[in-house]
Amino acid sequence: MKLTPALLSVFLLAGPALAQSKDKIMVGVVGSLTGAEATFGQSTRRGVELAIEEVNAKGGWKGRMLEAKSYDDQGKPEEAATATTRLIAQDKVAIVLGEVASSRSLAMAPIAEANKVPMITPSSTNPRVTKDGGKVRNWVFRVCFIDPFQGTVMAKFARETLKLKNVAILRDVGNDYSMGLSDFFTDKFKALGGTIVADESYKAGDQDFKAQLTSIKGKKPEAIYTPGYYTDIGLIARQARELNINQPLLGGDGWDSSKLYEIGGSALEGYYFSNHYSTDDPSPAIQNFIKTYKAKYKETPDAIAALGYDALMIFVDALNRAGKTEGEALRRALASTKGFKGVTGVVTIDADHNAVKPAVVLKISGKKPQYAATIKP
Ligand code: PHE
């Protein structure tokens, strides 16, 4: 074969490109890109990809480019588990990022643990995700606060700020997050001298909540604490108004989605929920993030997007300290994350692999979440 100039240029182009693809660092992302919680997965992916773009623009990690590989679990724990196995076995990822929903992260965690591949959930808040049966999962971390704290936040806000005495609970029975958070809220609210006058349940995907809401209404609560996910909450809010329930609904981070306002509309006015950050926060870290995110995706980032971004940056911070993309060195670097300045706050990973951070309470007004309060751990 004669090396013509044209052929030579093909080799020259292919050479470095091939070397680069071999040295890529694969980042696995598992999320619900479709289904009733589609914005959860989409926001995570967008946050992670924005972070990757910024890291790569600065030359990657030691010259190696990062690349995301995302799978849609359709909101199903079994699919989240399958995706995790595939990311590890087939795509050879250095890290698994996900899931948002605690029930799905709970299905993924044992797989990361068994394969000794680190997993960071950006936004799952149920304590069992990182610590099961009193034992910390070595390879599983999170960059958000946990529900014993989040439940306390809303209980304190309801009791001390809103001065409520009688509150009802409406929980999603098939959802580890909703069940845990309902219990943590109940414990704290009672400890503060409040009374839980009703405790009703539903299942994600239900369309009719009127039986539960009617029964709750009969107990005359001053508010209803309903920590579920946005699609169900949008419907619950509308049906509560149809039944002339004028007391506010209170919730947790699972409400956070632009879709909540599309589904619930003006029924949501005056309701409160706890969350990981507020877009009203003037801090430069938050405002810069919002600006670059909006430029890329033409929408305001929710907390999940910000946490996805932080999770990727914390992974890179750990790579820097570990000097390696795998093994015990990386695991230990993640576990010793300290004072990392993220968009959603300063992250220090504690002994149980959780981040200890403040929470915000948001009030829905004008079909938008508006900052109401910050509650510190
Ligand atoms: N914390 C929720 C869970 O564990 C998930 C979530 C986080 C939803 C942030 C919305 C915003 O299931």
Side-chain angles (χ1 to χ4, degrees), residues 170 172 175 177-178 202 226-230 232-233 251-255:
L170 179 55
D172 176 356
N175 178 331
Y177 154 79
S178 185
Y202 67 92
T226 182
Y229 293 154
Y230 65 88
D232 300 320
I233 298 302
D253 55 355
W255 286 26

Side-chain angles (χ1 to χ4, degrees), residues 268-345:
L268 300 158
E269 286 298 296
Y271 291 179
Y272 295 93
F273 67 102
S274 51
N275 206 1
H276 304 268
Y277 95 141
S278 163
T279 52
D280 297 333
D281 190 321
S283 93
I286 291 182
Q287 292 310 320
N288 286 336
F289 172 70
I290 294 174
K291 212 166 99 197
T292 50
Y293 189 96
K294 262 189 167 165
K296 186 167 164 68
Y297 302 112
K298 319 278 172 250
E299 65 175 28
T300 302
D302 54 24
I304 296 175
L307 288 164
Y309 179 93
D310 281 351
L312 190 281
M313 291 304 193
I314 284 166
F315 165 59
V316 174
D317 174 67
L319 286 178
N320 289 338
R321 283 177 291 111
K324 299 188 164 160
T325 58
E326 80 258 295
E328 191 54 25
L330 176 59
R331 193 195 75 74
R332 254 187 278 124
L334 282 165
S336 55
T337 298
K338 223 177 159 169
F340 179 88
K341 291 195 184 68
V343 172
T344 57

Side-chain angles (χ1 to χ4, degrees), residues 40 100-102 123-126 177 229 253-254 256 275-276 304 307:
F40 286 0
V100 172
S102 291
S123 39
S124 286
T125 46
N126 185 278
Y177 154 79
Y229 293 154
D253 55 355
D256 189 25
N275 206 1
H276 304 268
I304 296 175
L307 288 164

Side-chain angles (χ1 to χ4, degrees), residues 5 13 24-25 53 118 128 133-134 167 176 196 211-212 304 310 322 342:
L13 280 175
K24 263 193 288 202
I25 299 171
E53 200 174 283
R128 284 192 295 118
V167 170
D176 291 291
I196 302 298
Q212 296 94 315
I304 296 175
D310 281 351

Side-chain angles (χ1 to χ4, degrees), residues 24-251:
K24 263 193 288 202
I25 299 171
M26 295 303 292
V27 173
V29 184
V30 181
S32 48
L33 297 169
T34 55
E37 288 121 37
T39 68
F40 286 0
Q42 289 161 2
S43 289
T44 304
R45 187 164 82 170
R46 287 177 186 160
V48 170
E49 286 184 348
L50 177 61
I52 287 182
E53 200 174 283
E54 290 178 13
V55 171
N56 286 347
K58 288 189 184 148
W61 186 70
K62 297 198 172 176
R64 296 171 65 184
M65 296 297 123
L66 271 59
E67 188 179 310
K69 178 81 197 180
S70 303
Y71 287 117
D72 176 16
D73 62 28
Q74 304 153 44
K76 298 175 187 154
E78 335 63 271
E79 292 293 330
T82 305
T84 306
T85 302
R86 190 173 303 152
L87 285 169
I88 294 171
Q90 187 178 308
D91 303 307
K92 310 276 182 230
V93 297
I95 184 103
V96 177
L97 302 180
E99 230 263 12
V100 172
S102 291
S103 296
R104 276 142 13 216
S105 289
L106 283 165
M108 295 164 60
I111 300 168
E113 194 72 1
N115 288 283
K116 299 190 178 349
V117 170
M119 160 177 160
I120 303 176
T121 169
S123 39
S124 286
T125 46
N126 185 278
R128 284 192 295 118
V129 172
T130 57
K131 190 179 186 179
D132 189 37
K135 207 182 155 291
V136 179
R137 297 188 213 257
N138 282 320
W139 296 84
V140 183
F141 304 87
R142 84 179 99 215
V143 298
C144 56
F145 53 64
I146 56 173
D147 287 335
F149 169 64
Q150 184 171 203
T152 297
V153 164
M154 196 44 91
K156 276 179 97 172
F157 186 78
R159 189 78 192 99
E160 291 167 2
T161 307
L162 301 178
K163 313 261 184 248
L164 308 181
K165 175 93 175 65
N166 299 314
V167 170
I169 305 273
L170 179 55
R171 57 171 88 205
D172 176 356
V173 273
N175 178 331
D176 291 291
Y177 154 79
S178 185
M179 293 299 284
L181 197 44
S182 296
D183 290 342
F184 298 125
F185 174 91
T186 298
D187 290 349
K188 186 68 187 181
F189 193 69
K190 283 184 178 166
L192 293 171
T195 306
I196 302 298
V197 295
D199 193 332
E200 294 281 335
S201 63
Y202 67 92
K203 256 194 130 101
D206 284 354
Q207 298 297 310
D208 190 343
F209 303 87
K210 291 206 171 137
Q212 296 94 315
L213 289 169
T214 303
S215 153
I216 285 174
K217 191 181 176 188
K219 305 276 171 44
K220 302 198 174 6
E222 294 159 279
I224 304 170
Y225 185 60
T226 182
Y229 293 154
Y230 65 88
T231 298
D232 300 320
I233 298 302
L235 293 176
I236 290 170
R238 292 168 68 123
Q239 292 175 23
R241 297 292 191 193
E242 278 162 35
L243 292 170
N244 285 317
I245 294 176
N246 298 314
Q247 290 74 19
L249 260 54
L250 312 176

